[in-house]
Amino acid sequence: AVERTLSIIKPDATERNITGKINQRFEDAGLRIVAQRRLQLTTEQAQAFYAVHKERPFYNDLVAFMTSGPVVAQVLEGENAIEKNREVMGATDPSKADQGTIRADFAKNIEANSVHGSDSPETAREEIKFFFSNIDIVG
Ligand code: CMP
């Protein structure tokens, strides 16, 4: 089925000016960028977005990293988009990511791992709503 997923290009990637290279990976995989916005997250926004990880030891560092520079939030659309995006991204830890994935090729480490992608249809719905209204998404 055609799905939508929320993607974030993270500060380590905007800092290196590789957002176009990352977008090319999505498009080459058949994913369409149907909404996109560059923004600087506040601490409160990053805390809220990653609230599910609140109790994890990496939470405070993650929030600091995600607010350290601009991010590009985007909605990707396509057949099986949630799973397809996860394949294109590769494993969270770039040292474990398959060859040819975004994280294997661009990520610096498990935290500065260049991209985020929703992990389920429910999460995708919530995460898209966090950044976009329906009128911002043009399929
Ligand atoms: P993301 O897919 O955005 O979801 C949570 C983020 O936490 C993850 O990518 C990483 O950027 C970051 N993170 C840092 N350390 C860890 C860890 N040990 N396990 C999982 N995620 C981590």
Side-chain angles (χ1 to χ4, degrees), residues 6-11 41-56 58-67 71 89 92 103 110-119 123 127 130-131:
L6 190 279
S7 166
I8 303 176
I9 303 180
K10 297 188 180 185
L41 287 170
T42 66
T43 297
E44 291 69 26
Q45 287 169 334
Q47 286 172 336
F49 183 80
Y50 280 119
V52 55
H53 295 306
K54 210 165 46 215
E55 307 304 332
R56 309 284 286 274
F58 57 80
Y59 179 67
N60 287 336
D61 278 352
L62 174 61
V63 169
F65 166 63
M66 290 300 289
T67 56
V71 300
M89 290 193 296
T92 304
R103 284 166 170 162
I110 195 170
E111 176 180 86
N113 63 355
S114 301
V115 282
H116 166 83
S118 308
D119 64 6
T123 313
E127 291 185 347
F130 189 91
F131 287 102

Side-chain angles (χ1 to χ4, degrees), residues 12-113:
D12 66 287
T14 58
E15 201 271 331
R16 284 175 287 159
N17 203 26
I18 56 172
T19 64
K21 286 190 171 128
I22 290 173
N23 279 348
Q24 190 69 57
R25 301 292 181 100
F26 297 141
E27 293 185 341
D28 287 347
L31 294 165
R32 286 178 178 273
I33 302 162
V34 295
Q36 180 162 258
R37 187 155 64 92
R38 183 174 173 108
L39 70 152
Q40 171 74 52
L41 287 170
T42 66
T43 297
E44 291 69 26
Q45 287 169 334
Q47 286 172 336
F49 183 80
Y50 280 119
V52 55
H53 295 306
K54 210 165 46 215
E55 307 304 332
R56 309 284 286 274
F58 57 80
Y59 179 67
N60 287 336
D61 278 352
L62 174 61
V63 169
F65 166 63
M66 290 300 289
T67 56
S68 68
V71 300
V72 178
Q74 42 193 196
V75 179
L76 306 180
E77 182 182 86
E79 192 65 35
N80 204 20
I82 296 163
E83 189 52 40
K84 187 175 284 177
N85 183 39
R86 296 179 69 74
E87 287 169 19
V88 172
M89 290 193 296
T92 304
D93 181 349
S95 71
K96 298 184 179 132
D98 289 342
Q99 257 195 331
T101 61
I102 291 169
R103 284 166 170 162
D105 291 344
F106 300 125
K108 294 179 148 177
N109 53 59
I110 195 170
E111 176 180 86
N113 63 355

